[in-house]
Amino acid sequence: MNLIVVSDIFGKTESINKLTAQLSPFYSEVTVIDPYEGQNISFEKEEHAYRHFQQNCGIKKLTTLLEKEAINSKGKIDIIGFSVGGSSAWEISGKDISTNIRNVVSFYSSRIREKTNVSPKCSTSLIFPATEKSFDLEPVIQAVENKQNVEVIRTNYLHGFMNSESKNFSETGYKYFSDWLAKKAP
């Protein structure tokens, strides 16, 4: 069993490294997909990271990178995605290639609001923040919560709580969900 972790707009961060180190004992192989293909980029502000992501990658490219990795992966895989990475994971969950996928976990993936027509073909957990500042979460949750293979989890944390680079990072939330992920591992 392999694990693919898809980062948010910050790319490969200390939080991603910490999480993959915690989960790697459960998997044969762990791969990180990030918008900058392994380059470590430090952003002063979240707005800078967002602008850099839009100019240098975009969600379509990130989804294509994930799809290629999922297709080329040997054996079953779990996918964990954060923010835009979670949106890419959500999109992949509904594609025919998902027969290789055992489980998808998507953290605070706000862009799924544009893809509520996706019907996951594998077990998919959607971890929603308490609120989103740019849109109302309720219609999105209502559009996906009764779909087959979908588990919706509402948290008291804000978008970015799993990433120590984010202003919304929560040590408590990170600890709880990193332990939760370890329990979901094979």
Side-chain angles (χ1 to χ4, degrees):
M1 176 75 63
N2 298 324
L3 174 64
I4 301 172
V5 177
V6 192
S7 81
D8 60 14
I9 59 173
F10 287 96
K12 203 168 182 182
T13 62
E14 185 57 39
S15 295
I16 294 276
N17 293 338
K18 184 177 168 184
L19 183 66
T20 56
Q22 180 180 349
L23 298 176
S24 64
F26 303 105
Y27 294 93
S28 304
E29 187 177 310
V30 176
T31 304
V32 175
I33 296 176
D34 74 276
Y36 318 117
E37 301 182 52
Q39 280 185 341
N40 286 335
I41 301 174
S42 182
F43 297 102
E44 197 172 301
K45 294 183 178 179
E46 207 155 322
E47 296 78 29
H48 298 157
Y50 180 76
R51 191 173 27 239
H52 190 80
F53 173 78
Q54 293 296 75
Q55 293 171 350
N56 295 285
C57 184
I59 194 156
K60 196 173 214 173
K61 180 180 175 188
L62 190 61
T63 303
T64 299
L65 291 170
L66 173 57
E67 187 170 5
K68 285 179 186 173
E69 187 64 36
I71 289 169
N72 293 327
S73 186
K74 306 290 184 235
K76 289 284 188 187
I77 54 175
D78 284 351
I79 300 173
I80 302 169
F82 299 94
S83 193
V84 292
S87 297
S88 293
W90 166 254
E91 189 170 340
I92 293 296
S93 75
K95 295 192 175 196
D96 288 335
I97 63 155
S98 67
T99 56
N100 289 345
I101 303 170
R102 179 184 79 106
N103 194 29
V104 167
V105 177
S106 180
F107 284 89
Y108 41 83
S109 22
S110 58
R111 299 290 294 273
I112 69 169
R113 71 185 185 276
E114 300 161 358
K115 303 265 183 179
T116 57
N117 62 324
V118 169
S119 294
K121 298 179 181 190
C122 58
S123 174
T124 303
S125 300
L126 301 174
I127 317 298
F128 286 99
T131 62
E132 284 283 1
K133 64 180 179 184
S134 60
F135 68 98
D136 183 6
L137 276 173
E138 286 311 311
V140 177
I141 291 171
Q142 289 172 4
V144 299
E145 69 184 341
N146 294 318
K147 289 181 179 264
Q148 188 174 356
N149 298 320
V150 172
E151 169 189 31
V152 169
I153 299 172
R154 293 286 302 261
T155 71
N156 293 322
Y157 307 109
L158 298 176
H159 188 113
F161 74 87
M162 291 290 287
N163 183 349
S164 60
E165 303 276 323
S166 172
K167 63 186 174 206
N168 293 327
F169 175 68
S170 167
E171 188 69 47
T172 305
Y174 178 88
K175 169 101 176 81
Y176 176 84
F177 278 100
S178 59
D179 290 346
W180 180 82
L181 288 167
K183 289 176 189 162
K184 285 184 78 72

